[in-house]
mmCIF file of all heavy atoms in Angstrom:
data_model
loop_
_atom_site.group_PDB
_atom_site.id
_atom_site.type_symbol
_atom_site.label_atom_id
_atom_site.label_comp_id
_atom_site.label_asym_id
_atom_site.label_seq_id
_atom_site.Cartn_x
_atom_site.Cartn_y
_atom_site.Cartn_z
ATOM 1 N N VAL A 554 1.633 11.011 11.615
ATOM 2 C CA VAL A 554 0.542 9.910 11.636
ATOM 3 C C VAL A 554 -0.344 9.907 10.505
ATOM 4 O O VAL A 554 -0.764 8.950 9.892
ATOM 5 C CB VAL A 554 -0.124 10.009 12.966
ATOM 6 C CG1 VAL A 554 -1.235 8.947 13.019
ATOM 7 C CG2 VAL A 554 0.797 9.808 14.212
ATOM 8 N N THR A 555 -0.804 11.144 10.143
ATOM 9 C CA THR A 555 -1.856 11.258 9.128
ATOM 10 C C THR A 555 -1.243 10.938 7.798
ATOM 11 O O THR A 555 -1.861 10.222 6.973
ATOM 12 C CB THR A 555 -2.393 12.642 9.108
ATOM 13 O OG1 THR A 555 -2.839 12.970 10.404
ATOM 14 C CG2 THR A 555 -3.625 12.868 8.038
ATOM 15 N N PHE A 556 -0.103 11.473 7.469
ATOM 16 C CA PHE A 556 0.441 11.234 6.098
ATOM 17 C C PHE A 556 0.874 9.804 5.973
ATOM 18 O O PHE A 556 0.622 9.153 4.950
ATOM 19 C CB PHE A 556 1.787 12.057 5.935
ATOM 20 C CG PHE A 556 1.519 13.508 5.621
ATOM 21 C CD1 PHE A 556 2.370 14.666 6.075
ATOM 22 C CD2 PHE A 556 0.458 13.927 4.791
ATOM 23 C CE1 PHE A 556 2.166 15.824 5.825
ATOM 24 C CE2 PHE A 556 0.195 15.282 4.375
ATOM 25 C CZ PHE A 556 1.177 16.228 4.932
ATOM 26 N N GLN A 557 1.383 9.263 7.003
ATOM 27 C CA GLN A 557 1.821 7.696 6.942
ATOM 28 C C GLN A 557 0.714 6.916 6.810
ATOM 29 O O GLN A 557 0.619 5.946 5.954
ATOM 30 C CB GLN A 557 2.636 7.420 8.194
ATOM 31 C CG GLN A 557 3.190 6.048 8.083
ATOM 32 C CD GLN A 557 4.288 5.753 9.178
ATOM 33 O OE1 GLN A 557 5.157 6.535 9.440
ATOM 34 N NE2 GLN A 557 4.185 4.501 9.744
ATOM 35 N N ALA A 558 -0.468 7.185 7.479
ATOM 36 C CA ALA A 558 -1.763 6.450 7.360
ATOM 37 C C ALA A 558 -2.236 6.493 5.890
ATOM 38 O O ALA A 558 -2.576 5.441 5.328
ATOM 39 C CB ALA A 558 -2.746 6.964 8.359
ATOM 40 N N PHE A 559 -2.327 7.680 5.436
ATOM 41 C CA PHE A 559 -2.930 7.740 4.053
ATOM 42 C C PHE A 559 -2.067 7.377 2.969
ATOM 43 O O PHE A 559 -2.607 6.998 1.936
ATOM 44 C CB PHE A 559 -3.529 9.266 3.914
ATOM 45 C CG PHE A 559 -4.764 9.383 4.697
ATOM 46 C CD1 PHE A 559 -4.718 10.031 6.016
ATOM 47 C CD2 PHE A 559 -6.014 8.987 4.158
ATOM 48 C CE1 PHE A 559 -5.978 10.171 6.740
ATOM 49 C CE2 PHE A 559 -7.171 9.055 4.940
ATOM 50 C CZ PHE A 559 -7.185 9.722 6.179
ATOM 51 N N VAL A 560 -0.753 7.450 3.087
ATOM 52 C CA VAL A 560 0.227 6.908 2.107
ATOM 53 C C VAL A 560 0.003 5.428 2.064
ATOM 54 O O VAL A 560 -0.046 4.869 1.036
ATOM 55 C CB VAL A 560 1.577 7.258 2.486
ATOM 56 C CG1 VAL A 560 2.652 6.437 1.671
ATOM 57 C CG2 VAL A 560 1.914 8.829 2.096
ATOM 58 N N ASN A 561 -0.010 4.740 3.299
ATOM 59 C CA ASN A 561 -0.242 3.264 3.384
ATOM 60 C C ASN A 561 -1.458 2.888 2.656
ATOM 61 O O ASN A 561 -1.522 2.049 1.871
ATOM 62 C CB ASN A 561 -0.206 2.837 4.799
ATOM 63 C CG ASN A 561 -0.435 1.355 4.958
ATOM 64 O OD1 ASN A 561 -1.541 0.836 4.975
ATOM 65 N ND2 ASN A 561 0.624 0.576 5.154
ATOM 66 N N ILE A 562 -2.586 3.561 3.035
ATOM 67 C CA ILE A 562 -3.898 3.112 2.624
ATOM 68 C C ILE A 562 -3.971 3.414 1.091
ATOM 69 O O ILE A 562 -4.555 2.516 0.387
ATOM 70 C CB ILE A 562 -4.970 3.921 3.344
ATOM 71 C CG1 ILE A 562 -5.133 3.391 4.823
ATOM 72 C CG2 ILE A 562 -6.418 3.693 2.705
ATOM 73 C CD1 ILE A 562 -5.868 4.286 5.721
ATOM 74 N N SER A 563 -3.560 4.492 0.629
ATOM 75 C CA SER A 563 -3.472 4.889 -0.765
ATOM 76 C C SER A 563 -2.764 3.875 -1.597
ATOM 77 O O SER A 563 -3.182 3.548 -2.662
ATOM 78 C CB SER A 563 -3.023 6.363 -1.042
ATOM 79 O OG SER A 563 -3.748 7.329 -0.332
ATOM 80 N N ALA A 564 -1.657 3.494 -1.097
ATOM 81 C CA ALA A 564 -0.788 2.513 -1.871
ATOM 82 C C ALA A 564 -1.608 1.206 -1.945
ATOM 83 O O ALA A 564 -1.481 0.532 -2.993
ATOM 84 C CB ALA A 564 0.531 2.350 -1.156
ATOM 85 N N ILE A 565 -2.124 0.673 -0.921
ATOM 86 C CA ILE A 565 -2.869 -0.647 -0.886
ATOM 87 C C ILE A 565 -4.158 -0.712 -1.786
ATOM 88 O O ILE A 565 -4.460 -1.673 -2.428
ATOM 89 C CB ILE A 565 -3.170 -1.002 0.550
ATOM 90 C CG1 ILE A 565 -2.016 -1.362 1.447
ATOM 91 C CG2 ILE A 565 -4.163 -2.057 0.627
ATOM 92 C CD1 ILE A 565 -1.189 -2.544 0.831
ATOM 93 N N ILE A 566 -4.767 0.470 -1.958
ATOM 94 C CA ILE A 566 -5.931 0.627 -2.836
ATOM 95 C C ILE A 566 -5.451 1.126 -4.280
ATOM 96 O O ILE A 566 -6.359 1.513 -5.127
ATOM 97 C CB ILE A 566 -7.082 1.376 -2.345
ATOM 98 C CG1 ILE A 566 -6.640 2.827 -1.896
ATOM 99 C CG2 ILE A 566 -7.497 0.577 -0.999
ATOM 100 C CD1 ILE A 566 -7.936 3.549 -1.368
ATOM 101 N N ALA A 567 -4.203 1.192 -4.527
ATOM 102 C CA ALA A 567 -3.608 1.529 -5.828
ATOM 103 C C ALA A 567 -3.913 2.992 -6.275
ATOM 104 O O ALA A 567 -3.993 3.211 -7.473
ATOM 105 C CB ALA A 567 -4.155 0.564 -6.889
ATOM 106 N N ILE A 568 -3.968 3.967 -5.361
ATOM 107 C CA ILE A 568 -4.171 5.309 -5.688
ATOM 108 C C ILE A 568 -2.841 5.992 -5.977
ATOM 109 O O ILE A 568 -2.698 6.870 -6.723
ATOM 110 C CB ILE A 568 -4.858 6.155 -4.569
ATOM 111 C CG1 ILE A 568 -6.321 5.629 -4.504
ATOM 112 C CG2 ILE A 568 -4.822 7.588 -4.811
ATOM 113 C CD1 ILE A 568 -7.170 6.253 -3.376
ATOM 114 N N ILE A 569 -1.822 5.371 -5.210
ATOM 115 C CA ILE A 569 -0.409 5.793 -5.463
ATOM 116 C C ILE A 569 0.488 4.511 -5.626
ATOM 117 O O ILE A 569 -0.080 3.484 -5.297
ATOM 118 C CB ILE A 569 0.211 6.797 -4.345
ATOM 119 C CG1 ILE A 569 0.107 5.891 -2.953
ATOM 120 C CG2 ILE A 569 -0.654 8.025 -4.082
ATOM 121 C CD1 ILE A 569 0.896 6.621 -1.907
ATOM 122 N N PRO A 570 1.711 4.630 -6.122
ATOM 123 C CA PRO A 570 2.530 3.513 -6.215
ATOM 124 C C PRO A 570 2.859 2.835 -4.859
ATOM 125 O O PRO A 570 2.744 3.484 -3.789
ATOM 126 C CB PRO A 570 3.934 4.072 -6.764
ATOM 127 C CG PRO A 570 3.504 5.291 -7.531
ATOM 128 C CD PRO A 570 2.281 5.877 -6.721
ATOM 129 N N LEU A 571 2.933 1.481 -4.826
ATOM 130 C CA LEU A 571 3.118 0.819 -3.656
ATOM 131 C C LEU A 571 4.316 1.239 -2.898
ATOM 132 O O LEU A 571 5.362 1.361 -3.391
ATOM 133 C CB LEU A 571 3.223 -0.725 -4.020
ATOM 134 C CG LEU A 571 3.072 -1.744 -2.857
ATOM 135 C CD1 LEU A 571 1.715 -1.696 -2.242
ATOM 136 C CD2 LEU A 571 3.340 -3.103 -3.215
ATOM 137 N N THR A 572 4.198 1.393 -1.494
ATOM 138 C CA THR A 572 5.342 1.734 -0.746
ATOM 139 C C THR A 572 5.452 0.735 0.468
ATOM 140 O O THR A 572 4.427 0.080 0.749
ATOM 141 C CB THR A 572 5.128 3.103 -0.058
ATOM 142 O OG1 THR A 572 3.959 3.183 0.623
ATOM 143 C CG2 THR A 572 5.193 4.222 -1.157
ATOM 144 N N GLY A 573 6.559 0.655 1.168
ATOM 145 C CA GLY A 573 6.734 -0.342 2.194
ATOM 146 C C GLY A 573 6.691 0.401 3.666
ATOM 147 O O GLY A 573 7.589 0.209 4.515
ATOM 148 N N ILE A 574 5.589 1.185 3.873
ATOM 149 C CA ILE A 574 5.568 1.705 5.296
ATOM 150 C C ILE A 574 4.423 1.217 5.900
ATOM 151 O O ILE A 574 3.345 0.902 5.386
ATOM 152 C CB ILE A 574 5.579 3.280 5.193
ATOM 153 C CG1 ILE A 574 4.280 3.724 4.433
ATOM 154 C CG2 ILE A 574 6.768 3.890 4.666
ATOM 155 C CD1 ILE A 574 4.069 5.337 4.475
ATOM 156 N N PRO A 575 4.438 1.016 7.292
ATOM 157 C CA PRO A 575 3.308 0.586 8.079
ATOM 158 C C PRO A 575 2.170 1.491 8.304
ATOM 159 O O PRO A 575 2.359 2.645 8.119
ATOM 160 C CB PRO A 575 4.082 0.143 9.337
ATOM 161 C CG PRO A 575 5.153 1.091 9.547
ATOM 162 C CD PRO A 575 5.663 1.352 8.148
ATOM 163 N N LEU A 576 0.927 0.919 8.606
ATOM 164 C CA LEU A 576 -0.166 1.600 8.903
ATOM 165 C C LEU A 576 -0.058 1.932 10.482
ATOM 166 O O LEU A 576 0.072 1.032 11.240
ATOM 167 C CB LEU A 576 -1.405 0.777 8.721
ATOM 168 C CG LEU A 576 -2.738 1.568 8.845
ATOM 169 C CD1 LEU A 576 -2.860 2.737 8.012
ATOM 170 C CD2 LEU A 576 -3.934 0.510 8.535
ATOM 171 N N PRO A 577 0.054 3.217 10.770
ATOM 172 C CA PRO A 577 0.240 3.658 12.204
ATOM 173 C C PRO A 577 -0.794 3.006 13.207
ATOM 174 O O PRO A 577 -1.936 2.906 12.904
ATOM 175 C CB PRO A 577 0.108 5.186 12.213
ATOM 176 C CG PRO A 577 0.467 5.535 10.848
ATOM 177 C CD PRO A 577 -0.173 4.440 9.973
ATOM 178 N N PHE A 578 -0.288 2.481 14.303
ATOM 179 C CA PHE A 578 -1.026 1.882 15.348
ATOM 180 C C PHE A 578 -1.706 0.471 14.991
ATOM 181 O O PHE A 578 -2.240 -0.201 15.828
ATOM 182 C CB PHE A 578 -2.229 2.851 15.956
ATOM 183 C CG PHE A 578 -1.663 4.133 16.274
ATOM 184 C CD1 PHE A 578 -2.120 5.211 15.557
ATOM 185 C CD2 PHE A 578 -0.824 4.334 17.338
ATOM 186 C CE1 PHE A 578 -1.712 6.539 15.819
ATOM 187 C CE2 PHE A 578 -0.464 5.594 17.683
ATOM 188 C CZ PHE A 578 -0.887 6.740 16.970
ATOM 189 N N ILE A 579 -1.651 0.158 13.688
ATOM 190 C CA ILE A 579 -2.418 -1.135 13.279
ATOM 191 C C ILE A 579 -1.367 -2.123 12.769
ATOM 192 O O ILE A 579 -1.535 -3.323 13.250
ATOM 193 C CB ILE A 579 -3.269 -0.690 12.086
ATOM 194 C CG1 ILE A 579 -4.242 0.484 12.413
ATOM 195 C CG2 ILE A 579 -4.222 -1.955 11.731
ATOM 196 C CD1 ILE A 579 -5.198 0.346 13.533
ATOM 197 N N SER A 580 -0.438 -1.740 11.938
ATOM 198 C CA SER A 580 0.577 -2.804 11.504
ATOM 199 C C SER A 580 1.398 -3.345 12.629
ATOM 200 O O SER A 580 1.740 -2.629 13.624
ATOM 201 C CB SER A 580 1.423 -2.182 10.479
ATOM 202 O OG SER A 580 0.768 -1.848 9.266
ATOM 203 N N TYR A 581 1.780 -4.492 12.471
ATOM 204 C CA TYR A 581 2.749 -5.108 13.423
ATOM 205 C C TYR A 581 4.162 -4.519 13.278
ATOM 206 O O TYR A 581 4.567 -4.185 12.276
ATOM 207 C CB TYR A 581 2.931 -6.718 13.087
ATOM 208 C CG TYR A 581 3.948 -7.325 13.957
ATOM 209 C CD1 TYR A 581 3.603 -7.802 15.249
ATOM 210 C CD2 TYR A 581 5.204 -7.605 13.432
ATOM 211 C CE1 TYR A 581 4.485 -8.506 15.974
ATOM 212 C CE2 TYR A 581 6.137 -8.315 14.139
ATOM 213 C CZ TYR A 581 5.760 -8.807 15.511
ATOM 214 O OH TYR A 581 6.711 -9.382 16.258
ATOM 215 N N GLY A 582 4.786 -4.237 14.405
ATOM 216 C CA GLY A 582 6.073 -3.606 14.423
ATOM 217 C C GLY A 582 6.376 -2.880 15.729
ATOM 218 O O GLY A 582 5.684 -1.905 16.007
ATOM 219 N N GLY A 583 7.285 -3.390 16.477
ATOM 220 C CA GLY A 583 7.580 -2.810 17.783
ATOM 221 C C GLY A 583 8.236 -1.419 17.756
ATOM 222 O O GLY A 583 7.843 -0.535 18.515
ATOM 223 N N THR A 584 9.305 -1.336 16.875
ATOM 224 C CA THR A 584 9.883 0.048 16.805
ATOM 225 C C THR A 584 8.915 1.069 16.466
ATOM 226 O O THR A 584 8.877 2.193 17.026
ATOM 227 C CB THR A 584 11.174 -0.055 15.763
ATOM 228 O OG1 THR A 584 11.901 -1.162 15.996
ATOM 229 C CG2 THR A 584 11.965 1.152 15.882
ATOM 230 N N SER A 585 8.155 0.887 15.364
ATOM 231 C CA SER A 585 7.188 1.880 14.969
ATOM 232 C C SER A 585 6.225 2.150 16.072
ATOM 233 O O SER A 585 5.889 3.311 16.379
ATOM 234 C CB SER A 585 6.442 1.251 13.775
ATOM 235 O OG SER A 585 5.258 2.143 13.349
ATOM 236 N N PHE A 586 5.687 1.117 16.758
ATOM 237 C CA PHE A 586 4.756 1.436 17.875
ATOM 238 C C PHE A 586 5.337 2.239 18.989
ATOM 239 O O PHE A 586 4.757 3.124 19.550
ATOM 240 C CB PHE A 586 4.166 0.084 18.381
ATOM 241 C CG PHE A 586 2.874 0.232 19.099
ATOM 242 C CD1 PHE A 586 1.758 0.577 18.571
ATOM 243 C CD2 PHE A 586 2.925 0.115 20.544
ATOM 244 C CE1 PHE A 586 0.578 0.698 19.350
ATOM 245 C CE2 PHE A 586 1.764 0.225 21.312
ATOM 246 C CZ PHE A 586 0.553 0.533 20.703
ATOM 247 N N VAL A 587 6.439 1.946 19.329
ATOM 248 C CA VAL A 587 7.168 2.559 20.499
ATOM 249 C C VAL A 587 7.364 4.100 20.218
ATOM 250 O O VAL A 587 7.041 4.968 21.026
ATOM 251 C CB VAL A 587 8.610 1.919 20.846
ATOM 252 C CG1 VAL A 587 9.428 2.891 21.688
ATOM 253 C CG2 VAL A 587 8.453 0.615 21.426
ATOM 254 N N PHE A 588 7.890 4.439 18.992
ATOM 255 C CA PHE A 588 8.034 5.910 18.754
ATOM 256 C C PHE A 588 6.725 6.588 18.397
ATOM 257 O O PHE A 588 6.673 7.824 18.650
ATOM 258 C CB PHE A 588 9.051 6.099 17.583
ATOM 259 C CG PHE A 588 10.348 5.721 18.065
ATOM 260 C CD1 PHE A 588 11.081 4.619 17.656
ATOM 261 C CD2 PHE A 588 11.138 6.650 18.950
ATOM 262 C CE1 PHE A 588 12.377 4.319 18.138
ATOM 263 C CE2 PHE A 588 12.332 6.330 19.411
ATOM 264 C CZ PHE A 588 13.068 5.144 18.968
ATOM 265 N N LEU A 589 5.659 5.896 17.920
ATOM 266 C CA LEU A 589 4.394 6.519 17.888
ATOM 267 C C LEU A 589 3.815 6.841 19.169
ATOM 268 O O LEU A 589 3.221 7.931 19.405
ATOM 269 C CB LEU A 589 3.439 5.474 17.104
ATOM 270 C CG LEU A 589 3.513 5.440 15.633
ATOM 271 C CD1 LEU A 589 2.682 4.206 15.063
ATOM 272 C CD2 LEU A 589 2.906 6.726 14.979
ATOM 273 N N MET A 590 4.065 5.987 20.178
ATOM 274 C CA MET A 590 3.619 6.213 21.492
ATOM 275 C C MET A 590 4.446 7.451 22.120
ATOM 276 O O MET A 590 3.900 8.255 22.906
ATOM 277 C CB MET A 590 3.838 5.010 22.415
ATOM 278 C CG MET A 590 2.933 3.877 22.115
ATOM 279 S SD MET A 590 1.165 4.274 22.490
ATOM 280 C CE MET A 590 0.606 4.708 20.892
ATOM 281 N N VAL A 591 5.665 7.630 21.773
ATOM 282 C CA VAL A 591 6.481 8.768 22.229
ATOM 283 C C VAL A 591 5.820 9.953 21.647
ATOM 284 O O VAL A 591 5.579 11.015 22.376
ATOM 285 C CB VAL A 591 7.981 8.692 21.763
ATOM 286 C CG1 VAL A 591 8.726 9.966 22.040
ATOM 287 C CG2 VAL A 591 8.725 7.491 22.503
ATOM 288 N N GLY A 592 5.452 9.943 20.389
ATOM 289 C CA GLY A 592 4.812 11.124 19.704
ATOM 290 C C GLY A 592 3.483 11.390 20.433
ATOM 291 O O GLY A 592 3.292 12.558 20.629
ATOM 292 N N MET A 593 2.733 10.424 20.783
ATOM 293 C CA MET A 593 1.431 10.570 21.460
ATOM 294 C C MET A 593 1.496 11.212 22.764
ATOM 295 O O MET A 593 0.793 11.993 23.154
ATOM 296 C CB MET A 593 0.592 9.317 21.449
ATOM 297 C CG MET A 593 0.181 8.738 20.070
ATOM 298 S SD MET A 593 -0.717 9.978 19.062
ATOM 299 C CE MET A 593 0.603 10.478 17.936
ATOM 300 N N GLY A 594 2.577 10.745 23.477
ATOM 301 C CA GLY A 594 2.753 11.269 24.776
ATOM 302 C C GLY A 594 3.166 12.857 24.785
ATOM 303 O O GLY A 594 2.668 13.622 25.575
#
């Protein structure tokens, strides 16, 4: 969760090259949200 969040945020503010990964719990996407909830459980 932490790496994915900061990779997404860093890419959007141009600290690292742009990547196509969602922001955990915030970005739209059912598959991502389902497995994040599995992880949280």
Side-chain angles (χ1 to χ4, degrees):
V554 175
T555 308
F556 284 145
Q557 187 165 316
F559 285 97
V560 166
N561 175 281
I562 292 168
S563 298
I565 290 298
I566 61 178
I568 292 177
I569 64 172
L571 195 64
T572 59
I574 60 173
L576 185 60
F578 308 114
I579 310 294
S580 292
Y581 175 83
T584 311
S585 173
F586 194 75
V587 165
F588 286 108
L589 281 166
M590 291 293 99
V591 171
M593 293 308 98

